[in-house]
Amino acid sequence: MKVFRRFAAAVVFIQLIGVFSAAFAFGLRPESEIDGKIKALAPRDEILRFWDQAAYFAVNHFSHPVHERITNLIWGCQSDDDCNRTAPGKSFAPGAAIAGVRWNDNPPFELTDTSMKSCTGRTLWLPNYSNCWLKLYKDGEKRAKRGATLDLASGTIIMLRSHFGDLQFLHSMAAGQEERAGETQGKILMWAELTWRVARKEFGLGTKLSETNIPQVENYFKGGETVQTLFTRGNPTHRENIDILAFGALLHTVEDSFSRSHVDRDEANGQECGPGMPKRPGAIRQFLNYALQDSSLHAVEDEENAFDLQLVQVRPNAVDVGQSLKAYLDRGAAWEEVKPYLECVFAVTDMDKKTGSGGF
């Protein structure tokens, strides 16, 4: 039996390496001290603990924490040591910001009905209950390739919707083979308004998303969903700083928009977004779609080398835009003031341009 368990853990480990290398945009390491405590205390049998240990090892050794590094740079880290510290509580950027940029790839969710009995009624996120996560991810990938609709109405979990379904805008990507650039842009700006207003503390933990009066929000999130359950379900660590966590989630979307496998951008023209506003990034020619891509080709553009190349070649880049947004937030700018800048960051050359693979 022990031999079988070791073999099963090895198989899971190999699968996890492949999944993690493809699933996470601008790769990250979704683990922290509280994750480890919850993983250790969560009730499950011995084989499931093997799965989680395999996930923990794979996450630490085969994922590149690029999002965290970008975010540390946005907060002004100066040395490689400061910029590469990625664990919440030890990072240069606030721990809540690091948790926020991880959220888009690893949102917590709960299964109310599943044949995997050990996974029901638990809050799931990596590396906790990794066997459940992996099986669900692989199933979602297959469903997406078959053309299934993974959206709110279908009852699909948020993690699958963010990778393969209607929530791909969390990664600055389009959903469906026919989605036009104007539609994707509108969803991103809806998300930006929600996260920005949470970041400004206009909405608190108990605010229902349905009560925010932001157009389209109810099309993507459950009516009873609150700011707390959306961002920190099952993990109270950063609830007191949920404003910074939400800002981190917005930064993730912005950072992804500078990945070549997410968005096809033109070169910047050196102009400002408007009088007194920061420089204009390259305009968006096309929002790409993960479900139409080869995951291994997609992943290459989300690795550390690709980001470092961008820092050298592209201005303004993800760090520049993130620092501009942080400056807006630090002085308490209202959504009405920051919206024109974000409209500029996500400006598209052709609103009717349909999504595609982008050659990936």
Side-chain angles (χ1 to χ4, degrees):
M1 182 61 72
K2 286 185 179 180
V3 172
F4 168 76
R5 285 172 175 163
R6 291 195 187 104
F7 175 76
V11 170
V12 172
F13 174 65
I14 292 168
Q15 290 179 309
L16 288 168
I17 292 172
V19 169
F20 294 156
S21 66
F24 292 143
F26 265 160
L28 49 69
R29 287 181 183 157
E31 98 282 346
S32 68
E33 184 179 352
I34 190 67
D35 289 336
K37 289 180 180 178
I38 293 174
K39 178 168 66 70
L41 295 171
R44 61 216 187 281
D45 63 30
E46 186 178 348
I47 186 62
L48 299 185
R49 290 185 185 277
F50 267 103
W51 283 69
D52 283 1
Q53 286 303 113
Y56 186 80
F57 187 85
V59 161
N60 275 280
H61 292 82
F62 294 94
S63 61
H64 305 279
V66 183
H67 270 293
E68 293 95 322
R69 184 158 170 254
I70 298 173
T71 305
N72 282 333
L73 285 164
I74 289 169
W75 254 264
C77 65
Q78 297 296 315
S79 68
D80 286 342
D81 184 54
D82 281 343
C83 296
N84 293 328
R85 280 188 290 161
T86 60
K90 298 179 181 178
S91 59
F92 189 87
I98 297 298
V101 295
R102 292 172 170 173
W103 182 90
N104 304 50
D105 275 328
N106 195 22
F109 61 93
E110 183 178 328
L111 297 173
T112 56
D113 183 26
T114 177
S115 59
M116 297 183 289
K117 303 219 178 276
S118 62
C119 307
T120 307
R122 307 284 186 189
T123 300
L124 311 180
W125 76 95
L126 286 173
N128 199 32
Y129 289 98
S130 56
N131 63 310
C132 305
W133 196 99
L134 177 63
K135 290 177 182 177
L136 291 163
Y137 182 89
K138 299 299 286 183
D139 178 64
E141 189 174 41
K142 291 176 184 176
R143 288 167 60 194
K145 287 186 191 243
R146 292 197 303 264
T149 300
L150 308 182
D151 59 8
L152 179 64
S154 70
T156 305
I157 56 174
I158 190 170
M159 181 270 286
L160 293 181
R161 292 168 57 204
S162 70
H163 283 99
F164 307 110
D166 62 336
L167 295 181
Q168 287 190 71
F169 62 82
L170 296 174
H171 305 290
S172 289
M173 300 191 80
Q177 299 185 27
E178 302 296 316
E179 184 164 294
R180 300 173 188 273
E183 297 176 66
T184 309
Q185 181 200 56
K187 295 175 186 178
I188 291 171
L189 291 173
M190 173 271 292
W191 174 246
E193 180 177 0
L194 174 63
T195 49
W196 188 264
R197 293 176 68 182
V198 174
R200 286 193 74 242
K201 301 183 180 180
E202 292 180 44
F203 305 140
L205 291 171
T207 302
K208 289 184 178 180
L209 302 191
S210 60
E211 297 172 346
T212 61
N213 296 319
I214 298 175
Q216 292 194 66
V217 162
E218 291 183 81
N219 295 336
Y220 299 99
F221 302 104
K222 294 178 181 178
E225 194 86 85
T226 65
V227 169
Q228 174 176 308
T229 59
L230 178 66
F231 288 111
T232 63
R233 183 187 304 275
N235 189 343
T237 309
H238 299 291
R239 283 181 186 161
E240 291 186 3
N241 303 111
I242 203 162
D243 53 326
I244 303 301
L245 192 152
F247 182 60
L250 171 59
L251 288 179
H252 183 118
T253 304
V254 171
E255 292 164 9
D256 275 351
S257 77
F258 287 89
S259 168
R260 291 179 65 249
S261 58
H262 290 240
V263 171
D264 176 22
R265 280 189 182 270
D266 202 349
E267 286 200 52
N269 58 16
Q271 298 178 349
E272 295 179 343
C273 284
M277 295 172 68
K279 293 284 187 181
R280 178 185 295 274
I284 293 170
R285 292 183 289 223
Q286 187 181 38
F287 288 104
L288 308 183
N289 188 313
Y290 183 67
L292 302 177
Q293 296 177 334
D294 179 297
S295 59
S296 60
L297 293 177
H298 173 101
V300 169
E301 294 296 331
D302 284 340
E303 292 178 354
E304 189 171 351
N305 286 343
F307 166 69
D308 287 343
L309 179 63
Q310 181 204 116
L311 285 186
V312 175
Q313 290 184 319
V314 178
R315 297 302 297 268
N317 51 47
V319 173
D320 297 322
V321 174
Q323 288 178 336
S324 295
L325 287 171
K326 184 176 179 298
Y328 274 109
L329 186 65
D330 287 345
R331 62 182 178 80
W335 169 246
E336 290 71 23
E337 181 181 352
V338 78
K339 180 181 178 182
Y341 176 56
L342 281 167
E343 287 176 330
C344 174
V345 170
F346 290 99
V348 298
T349 56
D350 181 359
M351 298 287 270
D352 291 322
K353 178 72 173 179
K354 289 183 181 178
T355 185
S357 69
F360 297 98

